Amino acid sequence: MAEPLTDTEQTAWRTFIESSWALHTRLEDELRAATGLSMNDYHVMVVLSEAPERRLRMGELASRLVFSPSRVTYQINSMVKRGLVRKQSCPEDGRGQEAVLTDDGLAALQAAAPLHLDTVRKAFIDHVDADELEVINRVFKKVREA
Amino acid sequence: MAEPLTDTEQTAWRTFIESSWALHTRLEDELRAATGLSMNDYHVMVVLSEAPERRLRMGELASRLVFSPSRVTYQINSMVKRGLVRKQSCPEDGRGQEAVLTDDGLAALQAAAPLHLDTVRKAFIDHVDADELEVINRVFKKVREA
């Protein structure tokens, strides 16, 4: 078992976890109210929209989203039902499956993005100066790679 | 509508949101696997364990957790079923309701805490130096108050 946290670590951790949890909740609630999309839907659409031909293997998508295979399957099946994504066999080997962002999915992302970024700015970016943002970027890169 | 994010803002935001989302998922998965508790259960128990007589009005709890009234009701009812919390009328006015951490709830928190803090250290604290931690604390305090 690791050592207990120091008081300073404990305070910073509690502040971070409570605040970031509330931030996630606010982003999710505002996105859903305005567009019907969840943060997971939005995140999948952003990642696919940036991929070549708007398509990625399911395994690659899971790794990009830090999702388990069962979680990514559940998420993609839900988006297929809503017409945002379609699944198809990989062109190279005909066995694995890829998720492809549909035209409707891309349109939904383009409609949602300005609203979502408005919340992101008001709830986060507006409260962080350039030096702080650089530290945030550095720290969460290390945390992601851990 | 607010201005779009600059490239630097966009990069830092994406890194933060993807990384903190993955961190929440890891904390939730490890806590649940080891103890059967969710992060929301854990968070409620920490807040109640620190309150006088281990009790808080439902409204105060909702505000501390940044939960809507319906979300806090749902969460507390689920914990009542599992014997971790009980609900009772407020002693002062006999109308409002309070959530009280039970002895079983306190024991569950005390059993879970070392395991959870071990994950917190490995997944986050170990990757952040003292100066960075100070910036994290400052930024997320501002974000929470926003």
Side-chain angles (χ1 to χ4, degrees):
Chain A
M1 198 65 61
E3 296 166 56
L5 303 184
T6 65
D7 286 352
T8 314
E9 287 171 344
Q10 175 80 2
T11 303
W13 169 252
R14 286 279 295 272
T15 302
F16 161 69
I17 199 75
E18 293 181 13
S19 171
S20 65
W21 191 268
L23 179 62
H24 279 297
T25 304
R26 174 172 174 187
L27 289 166
E28 175 95 12
D29 289 352
E30 295 197 11
L31 185 64
R32 209 181 271 278
T35 68
L37 298 168
S38 72
M39 282 284 283
N40 282 338
D41 295 338
Y42 187 84
H43 198 164
V44 165
M45 295 193 298
V46 168
V47 169
L48 288 179
S49 75
E50 293 169 352
E53 298 178 58
R54 306 193 322 229
R55 66 180 64 216
L56 278 178
R57 279 172 180 268
M58 298 289 277
E60 172 64 20
L61 191 57
S63 136
R64 287 289 308 275
L65 298 167
V66 202
F67 272 19
S68 65
S70 64
R71 196 178 296 214
V72 83
T73 301
Y74 176 85
Q75 172 66 33
I76 292 299
N77 287 345
S78 152
M79 295 179 77
V80 167
K81 277 187 206 134
R82 288 173 287 149
L84 302 169
V85 167
R86 66 172 193 276
K87 288 199 280 190
Q88 61 178 54
S89 304
C90 301
E92 302 93 70
D93 61 12
R95 283 171 315 192
Q97 279 206 304
E98 289 182 333
V100 187
L101 186 65
T102 62
D103 290 344
D104 283 355
L106 184 63
L109 173 63
Q110 285 164 343
L115 294 158
H116 181 59
L117 290 178
D118 192 44
T119 310
V120 168
R121 188 172 274 293
K122 285 184 190 144
F124 187 77
I125 295 287
D126 281 353
H127 312 284
V128 187
D129 70 28
D131 291 344
E132 290 167 342
L133 204 60
E134 199 187 309
V135 173
I136 298 279
N137 190 39
R138 186 170 70 227
V139 164
F140 286 93
K141 217 162 154 178
K142 288 189 286 184
V143 168
R144 186 173 55 191
E145 282 156 13
Chain B
M1 197 64 62
E3 295 167 54
L5 303 184
T6 66
D7 285 352
T8 314
E9 287 170 343
Q10 174 81 1
T11 302
W13 169 253
R14 286 279 296 271
T15 302
F16 161 69
I17 199 74
E18 293 181 12
S19 173
S20 65
W21 191 268
L23 179 62
H24 279 297
T25 304
R26 175 173 172 185
L27 289 166
E28 175 96 12
D29 289 352
E30 296 197 10
L31 184 64
R32 209 182 269 279
T35 68
L37 299 167
S38 72
M39 282 285 283
N40 282 338
D41 295 337
Y42 187 85
H43 198 166
V44 166
M45 297 193 297
V46 167
V47 169
L48 288 179
S49 74
E50 293 169 353
E53 299 178 58
R54 306 191 324 227
R55 69 179 62 217
L56 279 177
R57 278 172 181 268
M58 298 289 278
E60 172 64 19
L61 191 58
S63 135
R64 287 289 308 275
L65 298 166
V66 203
F67 272 19
S68 66
S70 64
R71 197 179 295 213
V72 84
T73 301
Y74 176 86
Q75 173 65 33
I76 292 300
N77 287 346
S78 151
M79 295 179 78
V80 168
K81 277 188 204 134
R82 288 173 288 151
L84 302 169
V85 168
R86 64 171 194 277
K87 287 198 283 190
Q88 60 178 54
S89 303
C90 300
E92 303 93 70
D93 62 12
R95 282 173 314 192
Q97 279 208 303
E98 289 181 331
V100 187
L101 186 65
T102 62
D103 290 345
D104 282 356
L106 185 62
L109 174 62
Q110 285 164 344
L115 294 158
H116 181 59
L117 290 179
D118 192 45
T119 310
V120 168
R121 190 172 271 295
K122 285 186 190 142
F124 187 76
I125 295 285
D126 282 353
H127 311 285
V128 187
D129 70 29
D131 291 344
E132 290 168 342
L133 205 59
E134 200 188 307
V135 173
I136 297 280
N137 190 40
R138 185 170 72 229
V139 164
F140 286 93
K141 218 162 153 177
K142 288 188 288 183
V143 167
R144 186 173 53 192
E145 283 155 13

